[in-house]
Amino acid sequence: MKITEAVWEKRNLGVDTIEVTFENKDGLDEIEKQIEILDKEYVVLRIPSDRPDILWFMEKCNYRYVEDIVELVSYLRPVSQSSVQKRVYDSIAVEQMNVQDIEALLCEVKQGMFATDRISLDDFFKPEQAKQRYANWIQDEMAGKTEFLKYTYKGNTIAFFTLKELEEGYYDVPLGGFYKQYRNSGMGAIVKVPEEVKKRGGKKVRTNVSTNNLPQIRNLIINGYIPESISHIFIKHC
């Protein structure tokens, strides 16, 4: 069991937050003891999908289900494409983002680029809080060693994604998404992240997606990603 004081959420959401990640080895008796002493304004629980006993106990404790988080991994293997898919794939370029690109991204965020996460869907929080949380997250990633890249099509930016090397050859994608104007363009099925990781000498890349965003899960699987774990997310406002 891992208990984290999510101090960044005080800045983002204005509430004291604690996040608890359960593991398969955790006994229910110890879990019950720990849950009884959690007294933060906002509690987030991450429960392994194969621990229904924890799930049922949390329901009795009045925790509310909000989403499942699916972790998917690509081992950078080639993916078969139809001639149409190949043509679209080749027409989209990947470029490093500059200051102006980041400013444009933040404008997209303010317009509601992200709308399927647990904060956006929680009526306890205002839409502006969810948007500001993503803006802060982007700025935090920029302050670290995260790369910001964009997809361009016919000279226009259509999407962005981030890359962070967690350990040698192992990459993570903390953030990414298509811009509103291109969300229903059909180009969302194009995923060039594995290609970029391979260029950097990487061996695999992972990402996490909410089950509230089913189209993205489908797009990743089409592009060779494999679901490796699922966590049930429960919350409580105290």
Side-chain angles (χ1 to χ4, degrees):
M1 184 189 319
K2 181 181 179 182
I3 300 176
T4 304
E5 296 272 357
V7 294
W8 57 90
E9 297 293 26
K10 181 69 172 180
R11 176 194 60 170
N12 294 337
L13 303 172
V15 293
D16 290 321
T17 303
I18 195 162
E19 297 184 356
V20 183
T21 301
F22 297 108
E23 299 176 320
N24 283 319
K25 65 182 180 181
D26 295 331
L28 196 56
D29 289 344
E30 180 61 26
I31 288 172
E32 292 181 16
K33 292 178 184 178
Q34 292 295 330
I35 289 300
E36 287 178 359
I37 61 176
L38 296 180
D39 59 354
K40 296 296 183 181
E41 296 174 86
Y42 181 46
V43 181
V44 181
L45 308 179
R46 303 177 190 277
I47 304 171
S49 60
D50 52 355
R51 286 297 303 271
D53 56 332
I54 302 177
L55 186 153
W56 295 329
F57 174 71
M58 294 310 166
E59 288 180 337
K60 292 179 183 178
C61 295
N62 296 318
Y63 280 84
R64 185 174 65 172
Y65 169 82
V66 289
E67 64 182 349
D68 280 358
I69 294 294
V70 183
E71 181 176 311
L72 301 103
V73 176
S74 168
Y75 292 92
L76 319 183
R77 300 187 182 101
V79 176
S80 61
Q81 297 175 320
S82 68
S83 58
V84 174
Q85 290 172 323
K86 182 70 164 57
R87 187 163 61 250
V88 176
Y89 187 92
D90 291 342
S91 69
I92 296 175
V94 177
E95 302 174 18
Q96 292 282 340
M97 296 178 73
N98 57 32
V99 175
Q100 290 74 27
D101 292 323
I102 297 297
E103 291 175 355
L105 169 59
L106 292 173
C107 287
E108 288 283 335
V109 171
K110 290 179 181 179
Q111 293 172 22
M113 179 179 184
F114 299 103
T116 60
D117 61 284
R118 61 180 165 84
I119 304 298
S120 299
L121 298 175
D122 190 337
D123 56 13
F124 181 88
F125 298 113
K126 297 177 181 178
E128 292 306 314
Q129 288 176 285
K131 295 173 185 177
Q132 188 58 51
R133 180 173 178 266
Y134 272 102
N136 290 344
W137 189 355
I138 288 168
Q139 291 164 350
D140 288 345
E141 294 293 344
M142 287 179 61
K145 295 182 179 181
T146 303
E147 283 189 81
F148 278 74
L149 302 108
K150 62 180 181 179
Y151 287 155
T152 61
Y153 177 73
K154 294 184 177 180
N156 297 314
T157 300
I158 63 173
F160 88 104
F161 66 93
T162 55
L163 279 181
K164 177 187 290 186
E165 190 171 21
L166 301 178
E167 55 187 72
E168 188 175 357
Y170 183 20
Y171 284 78
D172 183 34
V173 181
L175 284 163
F178 267 73
Y179 291 179
K180 188 174 182 179
Q181 181 180 351
Y182 300 94
R183 196 166 298 159
N184 298 317
S185 65
M187 289 185 284
I190 302 302
V191 178
K192 289 200 165 190
V193 174
E195 179 182 322
E196 291 300 313
V197 171
K198 191 178 294 186
K199 287 179 182 178
R200 289 157 177 75
K203 298 177 182 177
K204 63 179 179 178
V205 57
R206 77 168 191 190
T207 191
N208 294 314
V209 184
S210 169
T211 48
N212 298 332
N213 189 1
L214 186 58
Q216 180 61 5
I217 294 175
R218 182 176 62 247
N219 292 338
L220 290 168
I221 291 174
I222 289 172
N223 283 274
Y225 282 75
I226 301 169
E228 291 214 332
S229 68
I230 299 176
S231 298
H232 303 308
I233 310 301
F234 279 66
I235 63 167
K236 181 188 277 190
H237 297 285
C238 302

